[in-house]
Amino acid sequence: FRDVTERKEAEERLSYLATHDTLTGLANRLVLIDRIKQCLSRLPWNNRTIAVIFLDLDRFKLINDTLGHTMGDKLLCSVAERLRTSVRPGDTVARLGGDEFVIVLTDIAKSEEIIILAEKIRSKLSQPYDILNSDFVITASIGVSIYPKDGIDSDELIRNADAAMYRAKSQGKNNIQM
């Protein structure tokens, strides 16, 4: 007999690294697209919809440039934790890179739920962060796309949520655009 514990642990670690952001522990793009595809495949049976929320932190580059990347990384980890605790079980939070995050809201019965959840997220993110005994306030520009109105596959939904997010930035930041 041979103990394969170390090998199994190494395989699990590699699998985790291939599917998660190393800084925040959130899902990465690979998992995000897979989750959207899974949700879309179940929609014909449950008479619900999904929404994709694309958010970008406002003026994050200024924090990195003035306070350094270590402070920026700590802030990103705090943002990731707030996002994780803002969504429902079954929803997916992913970091695409830099200060861009995507949330997949599943099992949506009414479109009003999407705006309520997006506003909750925007509000929670704008509360002060205590990082290394310094308070920071950061806001987010948020774009939302909804199946099937804004796209019928993962690429379209992400692309249109991203476009809505850029519209939010161009309209003064710290707001939500559909």
Side-chain angles (χ1 to χ4, degrees):
F1 294 101
R2 289 176 39 195
D3 185 3
V4 294
T5 305
E6 279 185 38
R7 190 183 89 214
K8 287 291 185 188
E9 288 173 351
E11 287 173 0
E12 287 174 13
R13 181 73 182 142
L14 283 174
S15 175
Y16 180 84
L17 291 173
T19 58
H20 290 80
D21 175 62
T22 55
L23 177 65
T24 62
L26 294 176
N28 64 13
R29 180 181 292 272
L30 183 69
V31 171
L32 172 70
I33 291 171
D34 183 60
R35 297 270 168 82
I36 294 172
K37 287 179 179 178
Q38 286 177 24
C39 291
L40 291 173
S41 71
R42 291 190 301 267
L43 288 179
W45 293 280
N46 66 12
N47 202 25
R48 302 286 178 128
T49 194
I50 67 167
V52 173
I53 295 177
F54 197 111
L55 65 93
D56 185 82
L57 302 178
D58 299 326
R59 299 177 193 86
F60 179 75
K61 184 178 180 334
L62 181 64
I63 290 172
N64 263 348
D65 291 347
T66 58
L67 301 173
H69 291 278
T70 300
M71 191 68 80
D73 287 351
K74 290 185 183 311
L75 181 59
L76 288 173
C77 290
S78 295
V79 166
E81 185 56 31
R82 286 192 189 180
L83 291 174
R84 221 185 322 264
T85 60
S86 296
V87 298
R88 305 159 306 163
D91 294 337
T92 300
V93 181
R95 178 173 175 234
L96 296 188
D99 62 333
E100 294 181 332
F101 298 87
V102 175
I103 300 168
V104 179
L105 301 176
T106 61
D107 197 30
I108 302 292
K110 299 176 187 167
S111 59
E112 296 83 32
E113 293 176 51
I114 299 164
I115 297 301
I116 291 167
L117 285 165
E119 185 56 45
K120 174 185 169 189
I121 290 164
R122 191 186 67 76
S123 175
K124 195 168 188 179
L125 289 180
S126 65
Q127 296 171 4
Y129 295 84
D130 179 17
I131 299 174
L132 301 176
N133 297 320
S134 296
D135 280 343
F136 294 95
V137 174
I138 194 158
T139 58
S141 295
I142 297 174
V144 180
S145 65
I146 303 169
Y147 173 89
K149 184 181 97 180
D150 302 318
I152 59 169
D153 63 31
S154 57
D155 291 335
E156 267 188 310
L157 289 166
I158 292 170
R159 185 175 53 250
N160 288 330
D162 186 26
M165 181 274 300
Y166 276 104
R167 191 168 48 255
K169 280 206 178 287
S170 72
Q171 293 185 2
K173 299 180 174 57
N174 192 29
N175 69 79
I176 301 164
Q177 294 293 311
M178 302 296 282

